Amino acid sequence: MPPRDFLTRRNALWAQLRSLPPGSPKFEAALAELSALIGWDRERVLGGLGLRAGDVPPTGEQRP
């Protein structure tokens, strides 16, 4: 992937994560894609969003 495409996709995924409710299926999909793209584990990506693993419901489960 050319560097510009990488940066565009990376930035789009960060923006998408900021706009989605944590734990939602779309959030989890974007988190997984970003994690694979940049080589960070789930906890580190969540930390980049200012969240901890305990702040996010388990995959696919939303809090009421």
Side-chain angles (χ1 to χ4, degrees):
M1 175 182 297
R4 181 178 175 93
D5 292 346
F6 169 83
L7 293 174
T8 299
R9 186 64 191 143
R10 183 200 64 186
N11 292 347
L13 287 166
W14 279 114
Q16 187 177 6
L17 284 169
R18 289 185 190 98
S19 72
L20 293 168
S24 69
K26 288 183 179 183
F27 179 90
E28 294 299 329
L31 192 150
E33 185 179 347
L34 180 62
S35 181
L37 182 68
I38 64 175
W40 287 11
D41 63 21
R42 176 183 173 79
E43 288 74 26
R44 189 168 179 191
V45 173
L46 291 173
L49 295 167
L51 301 170
R52 296 178 309 221
D55 297 333
V56 180
T59 303
E61 296 178 22
Q62 289 186 321
R63 293 187 177 151

